[in-house]
């Protein structure tokens, strides 16, 4: 290097040995995490020993107890279950049958918060709507006594972004059909597979709208019902759904910490949700997320005390309305959070990094991107939202990081009976752990303050 | 061509113009069938309008009636339903739950001929056997009051040949467990998928062995139960299965014909089975086979009367024990059958031709191979068996042709709820129709006699 430019470089070069040490340490932690076994072991245990963990049920309570024991054994500090009350909905019988000349069963599942049919079921003529907009256009009262069938079809994307638009049929469709007097509503599952696997998920009936029976047909069954309707003759379906509210039960968030060296440097919270839908064992949604964030936090912990406290949040009741995230925000909004992130999109590889950092944190964003690049991850342009359980924090101004997972096959499995351990690819899961470990190594030890963009 | 060898060629060359005309006609029929719509339309109608068609039920009876109407409308002659009595087994409730510390539901389905548990279920400790041989080795009486669990695992092959060996766990496992005093048996589904889709199918309890409750776990559930057993503590399962025999009902074979010009030239029978398991709509097993053979026969019929009669057999009760094939053989073994073939392995492309022709029929085998080669089909070395519903004919000495379909994904779907129309690829189905059309064009008009090897 020519000596004449040494003075100019000197100011920049001075911290370089330290920076290089930090970068090297991040790289070593990252690469060691490519051999991680913690995340898969946690996911295996949650799905095998606990199984389905519907929010508010005894199964979720058992899972929280297991989580406190496990995270304590792993060496985390301040491990606790933070309970909160939850009006708890549970599934009952679910059965549907085309009646008449083409009589045959259909595979479906009740949506969360669905109303119930009489125990003996109800029978109604099917009124077909290709899309949610078509349902919205139906005249008021036109569905009295009828079963609305909305066959809004989602397609496959890597970023899963269609869930927003196409998921509306599940979230809002039942309330719209109820307002128009429908006796019940069937929707095409919000999913990208073609298996006899209905996709569960919550729907919302606003105050004042009495819940009607609402269910998702498996995709092949929605195809079948479309074909039968297409024959031209009226199609009648006999439907029995007997879900019920079992009163107010306890749900809860499990929290564990890696205490930081510098209490004033604030808290980095990494989240997942421990509850799951009841049809599968919640492997990709979201035992794997809990395995990934806990594994990464443990790897940082075992490498020496970080500057900032890392708080692991295994939220409860995410699936039924992000009640765990809300409870966490209410209880902890006064804590000194500096960054929030969540793993809740399966266990397939991370391909993109999004942040919402203030411009002053560009050097931090650059170090983060550099640390992740060797894993095949590049920076995207979406502002990070943090993920469901920490979105309230991010909305309130906490910086967020989104480590975007490949969602190509996520909605094949999402909320179905098929969400089981065999769907988790250990190699891709390790790439996740490496990315989360690198991210935590960068942000938990970053010397600068971390702020979100305004 | 040097003139000096013309005399030697002349004897061979003399029939050539005729042969070329015949070959050309076969090629034209074959290639036109690549645009076929009949097979898919039939498959679509069977699966959509009829749905599941369990042997001996009202649904199978409805299907036979539909079949007679449809085949008559298509222009076939002598269309009739040939009924026979069937002791009819139907599914009931099916529910399984691991009880105790790791309580969770398991997905399973009763095997055909399974016995029933008490209505309230039974609970037993699971005794794990990795393979059927391990079950066979269990000491007599060692399973008293226990639930045997045999996790014999099939793998994927193109020719589906593993179904013979690995299917034994379903066919024989329950009787073996019963003989050793087991209260019930659970097997890993005989399937190659990893979905929460149990694979149904018949089991056999010999005279004198009282049926015990017998069910197939979905593959992920077998994995799960293996992991739970692997924890070391005793695993108990609560099982409710309430299938029952609903007495002797009618099943039947539907038969239709393309009458030949030369009654003395005999009958070529092409078969499929119309009944299906009750969990899916029997698309690949075997509505598609019925579509393929009927489409090919219709294409030959529409091109002019063939020399030999083509008989289309849509058999009943194949799934529950090939009772339709047996009834057909008993009723028709005196008919002048010269060749038999069946389409019952899905709708994916045909890749191999097997025959059992006598050596004298080598020219016929060669013409058949030449007619199929442009479709990507080459001759194999297995002796043709003809397929389940015509195997009695072939065993009795009738020549057989096997148009072997690609079974790579067949056992992902076989006997599961997932056997639905969306699994049929119309392009591959057309290749099947082209192959069957070419085969029929060759054999139905072949001038020579057709004999099986001894
Ligand atoms: Zn989730
Ligand atoms: Zn079959």
């Amino acid at each position: 290097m020519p000596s004449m430019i040494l003075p100019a470089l000197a100011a920049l070069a001075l911290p370089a040995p330290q920076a290089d040490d930090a970068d090297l340490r991040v790289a070593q932690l990252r690469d060691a995490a490519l051999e991680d076994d913690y995340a898969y072991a946690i996911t295996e245990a949650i799905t095998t020993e606990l199984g389905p963990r519907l929010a508010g049920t005894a199964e979720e309570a058992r899972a929280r107890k297991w989580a406190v024991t496990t995270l304590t054994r792993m060496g985390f500090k301040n491990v606790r279950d933070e309970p909160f009350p939850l009006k708890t909905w549970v599934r009952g019988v679910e059965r549907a049958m085309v009646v008449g000349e083409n009589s045959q069963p259909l595979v479906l599942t009740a949506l969360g918060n669905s109303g119930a049919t009489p125990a003996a079921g109800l029978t109604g003529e099917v009124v077909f709507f290709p899309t949610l907009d078509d349902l919205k256009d139906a005249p008021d009262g036109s569905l009295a006594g009828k079963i609305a069938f909305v066959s809004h079809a989602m397609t496959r994307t890597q970023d899963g972004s269609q869930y927003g638009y196409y998921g509306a049929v599940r979230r809002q469709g039942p309330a719209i059909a109820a307002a128009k007097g429908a006796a019940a509503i069937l929707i095409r599952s919000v999913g990208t597979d073609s298996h006899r696997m209905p996709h569960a998920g919550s729907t919302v009936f606003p105050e004042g709208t009495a819940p009607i029976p609402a269910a998702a047909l498996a995709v092949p069954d929605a195809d079948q019902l479309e074909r039968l309707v297409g024959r031209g003759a009226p199609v009648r379906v006999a439907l029995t759904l007997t879900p019920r509210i079992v009163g107010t039960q306890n749900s809860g968030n499990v929290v564990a910490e890696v205490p930081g060296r510098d209490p004033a440097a604030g808290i980095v919270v990494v989240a997942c949700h421990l509850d799951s839908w009841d049809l599968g064992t919640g492997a990709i949604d979201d035992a794997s997320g809990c395995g990934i964030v806990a594994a990464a936090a443990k790897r940082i912990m075992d490498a020496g005390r970080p500057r900032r406290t890392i708080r692991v949040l295994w939220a409860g009741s995410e699936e039924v309305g992000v009640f765990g995230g809300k409870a966490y925000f209410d209880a902890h909004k006064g804590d000194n959070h500096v960054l929030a992130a969540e793993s809740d999109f399966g266990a397939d590889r991370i391909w993109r990094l999004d942040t919402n950092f203030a411009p002053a944190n560009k050097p931090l964003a650059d170090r983060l991107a550099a640390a992740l690049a060797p894993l095949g991850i590049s920076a995207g342009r979406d502002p990070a939202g943090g993920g469901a359980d920490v979105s309230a924090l991010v909305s309130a101004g906490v910086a967020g990081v989104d480590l975007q997972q490949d969602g190509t096959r996520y909605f094949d499995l999402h909320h179905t009976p098929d969400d089981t351990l065999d769907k988790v690819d250990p190699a891709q899961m390790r790439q996740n752990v490496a990315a989360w470990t690198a991210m935590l190594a960068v942000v938990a030890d970053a010397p600068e303050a971390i702020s979100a963009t305004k």
Side-chain angles (χ1 to χ4, degrees), chain A residues 395-415:
Chain A
S395 296
V398 175
V401 169
D402 289 349
L403 295 173
Q404 307 283 13
Q405 293 167 293
D406 189 328
T408 305
R409 64 180 184 133
Y410 186 72
F411 289 106
D412 290 353
L413 305 169
H414 182 247
H415 297 183

Side-chain angles (χ1 to χ4, degrees), chain A residues 273 284-286 318-319 344-345 410 414-415:
Chain A
H273 64 87
I284 65 153
D285 191 12
D286 184 30
E318 190 274 345
E319 294 293 6
D344 181 21
F345 201 51
Y410 186 72
H414 182 247
H415 297 183

Side-chain angles (χ1 to χ4, degrees), chain A residues 38 57 128 159 206 224 247 254 343 387:
Chain A
Y38 295 123
T57 63
F128 172 59
D159 67 2
Q224 182 83 332
V254 175
S343 176

